[in-house]
Every structure is written in C-alpha cells, then in structure tokens.
Amino acid sequence: MGDRLRVLWDFDDLDGTWERFEQALEQQTSAAERAEVLTQLGRVQGLQGDLAAGDRLLDEAETAAVDSPLARVRVLLERGRLRRSGGDPQAALPLFVAAFDLATEAAEEALAADAAHMAALAAADHSEMVAWTRRGVELAERATDPDVRYWLGPLLNNLGWACFAAGQYEEALEAFQRALRARERDPRRRAEIETARYAVARTLRVLGRPAAAAALLEEAVAWTRMVGEPDGWFHEELAEAYAALGREADARQQARLALPLLTATDASFKDDAGRASRLRALADEPPAEGIRD
C-alpha cells in the first residue's frame, strides 16, 4: 500500500508543506486520520530545527493513534527521525525497527520501506546498514505499487555511498547503477535521475574509467543547462574526469563553473581546504584568501 500523504510534501518548500498539512488536518474525518497528519506536521517542525515542537505534535498524535496501526507506524517513524535529527541515532534505531515491524504486520509496504531506509541510516555499523538496506530493497522489489518501488532509489543510493565511503568501489558502482535504473522508471523525477547519474560517474572515475564518467556527467550537465539550474557538484566532477583524460582546457572551464556555485551553496566545500585548493588548481586560479596549499 502506498503513502497517501507523500503527495503533500515538498522538501524544498517546508512553509508550503506546513500549510498543506494544516489544511489537510481540517479535512480529516477521524481521530486516526488526524493523528497521521499531525505526525507530518511534527516532521516539518523537526526539519525546521524545532525538535521540541515536533515532539509535542507527536505526543498529540500518539494519544489519538491508539486504535490505528497506520497512525502508530507514523508516530514511531517521525519520533525516530526527530531523535536522529537531534544527534541520537542509538535512540532512533529501535523506533525505526518497531515502525518496520508494525508496518510489515499491517501490510503498509511504503511505510515499511521508509522505516527500513531510516533504520539503515541510523545503523551502528556498515554491516547493519547493509542488512537493513537489503531488507528494504527486497520489499520494494517485490512490490507493484509505485509508491513502494520508489524506495529502491533512495535505498540503493544510500548503500552505494556507504560502500563508497568504505572503499568498496565495485560494490558501490553496482548499487549506484541499480539506483539509476530504479530512478529512470519515473522520468518525472529528472533531478533525482541526474543525481543518480552523477553517483555512477564519480565511482567510475575512481575506478579508473574517466571516459565513461565524463559521458554520464556531460548528460547531467546538459540537463542542468536546459532547466537553468546549474549544479556545482556536477561541474566539479566533470572537471576531475576531464583532468584524468588530459583535457586540461575542458577541465579548467568546468572547474571555473563549479567554484562560485560550490562556494555559495556547499558548506562542506567551504570547510574542506584541500578540496577547494584542488578545484582552484584545476581552474588555474590562485588560492582564496586564508587558504594555502
């Protein structure tokens, strides 16, 4: 079964999302349905950084959710997300596990896949993360509901980055390629498709296949130009791929496009002097003030 409330979410517009859920709250006809919507309002509060307000809304939802397994799943999921956002993944994990078990028992497959995804993110180590991801992937692969199958993309993407961070690049490539295929089944989500393409390309370059990486990145960059939404990460990685191919002028052009975008939008870039110096070297620009090689 799909998630009826997911259509109201826009993670790039939390104020608008809040307004839609407030309106939805007034339209619910039962205490259980109101409890479901309250959990989503609590999630918005958590994403906006007000964890205490989120908890208060979840307390209200929990009181009304006693007779509804679906509402109780949502309470567990959002309580876990608040704990993880608060920097306590150890407290979050059992909540996600309980949400997965209850959602599975209630045949709420989309929420079960979401819970497996969150349990993987809160896992204590790589092996536990992989185990939870595989559990979610198996569930999503069996499903016919597109709301459930959607979770293949996020689950496999997270698995890919976990393998990448562990230096398991072949395993990362397999996961990213599967994630890309899953994303491509829904052409409406083009930004997610191109982000998945970037992940495949980055791994190919690390594996010594820069030509294949560049071809994918050129496609991703072309899309950003078409929609007028340039992406510094795409340009940075294409600069690296061109550099690996000995295409110095092309690498310089891409690095010069990446620098202002990353400086403006990517906090990790600002805090990583080595990365910034590398990109400036590719751009053939002097180090920024305060940064030395």
Side-chain angles (χ1 to χ4, degrees):
M1 185 179 296
D3 180 352
R4 72 183 180 92
L5 298 180
R6 188 168 183 83
V7 68
L8 300 179
W9 272 98
D10 180 350
F11 292 97
D12 295 322
D13 181 13
L14 293 178
D15 289 338
T17 299
W18 176 270
E19 291 177 7
R20 285 189 292 277
F21 278 117
E22 276 198 320
Q23 293 169 6
L25 188 63
E26 300 303 318
Q27 298 166 3
Q28 305 308 302
T29 59
S30 70
E33 289 175 342
R34 283 180 57 82
E36 287 188 68
V37 176
L38 284 169
T39 66
Q40 303 307 285
L41 288 168
R43 184 179 184 185
V44 175
Q45 292 279 36
L47 289 170
Q48 291 177 326
D50 195 339
L51 304 183
D55 261 328
R56 288 194 294 272
L57 285 165
L58 292 179
D59 289 342
E60 184 179 349
E62 190 167 16
T63 300
V66 174
D67 296 325
S68 170
L70 174 55
R72 283 159 48 210
V73 168
R74 290 192 187 274
V75 170
L76 288 164
L77 255 177
E78 303 313 332
R79 192 86 75 184
R81 278 196 250 264
L82 287 179
R83 297 295 171 270
R84 182 171 177 269
S85 294
D88 193 353
Q90 287 185 325
L93 182 57
L95 294 167
F96 295 138
V97 173
F100 177 84
D101 290 341
L102 184 56
T104 301
E105 181 181 333
E108 295 289 346
E109 292 179 317
L111 293 181
D114 188 356
H117 161 254
M118 293 307 304
L121 293 177
D125 55 41
H126 180 73
S127 62
E128 186 176 39
M129 185 272 182
V130 169
W132 271 107
T133 299
R134 286 178 175 163
R135 191 174 296 186
V137 167
E138 289 170 3
L139 187 158
E141 284 183 329
R142 292 195 305 267
T144 56
D145 189 319
D147 281 354
V148 184
R149 291 191 63 81
Y150 157 81
W151 283 103
L152 280 171
L155 284 158
L156 289 165
N157 176 70
N158 291 345
L159 177 61
W161 286 119
C163 292
F164 190 98
Q168 299 170 351
Y169 299 121
E170 291 290 354
E171 293 86 346
L173 179 61
E174 180 186 6
F176 285 141
Q177 288 174 330
R178 291 175 66 192
L180 176 57
R181 290 194 295 271
R183 298 290 198 191
E184 287 175 332
R185 295 190 188 109
D186 187 353
R188 297 169 300 173
R189 298 178 180 271
R190 187 65 186 271
E192 294 176 8
I193 291 171
E194 299 310 326
T195 300
R197 205 183 309 280
Y198 158 86
V200 173
R202 183 173 179 190
T203 311
L204 284 168
R205 180 179 65 81
V206 171
L207 287 168
R209 298 162 61 185
L216 290 171
L217 290 160
E218 286 165 353
E219 191 171 349
V221 166
W223 175 77
T224 66
R225 287 175 177 155
M226 181 181 70
V227 298
E229 296 178 4
D231 187 297
W233 289 76
F234 293 1
H235 287 299
E236 178 185 26
E237 189 57 36
L238 186 52
E240 292 285 5
Y242 283 153
L245 291 167
R247 294 170 58 176
E248 295 180 2
D250 292 330
R252 183 164 53 250
Q253 178 188 37
Q254 292 300 316
R256 289 178 175 177
L257 290 169
L259 275 168
L261 293 168
L262 294 173
T263 301
T265 63
D266 184 356
S268 68
F269 181 76
K270 297 175 188 176
D271 296 337
D272 189 338
R275 181 180 167 206
S277 294
R278 166 62 179 168
L279 194 56
R280 287 190 173 89
L282 289 175
D284 197 22
E285 292 185 2
E289 184 177 352
I291 296 177
R292 295 292 181 267
D293 293 337

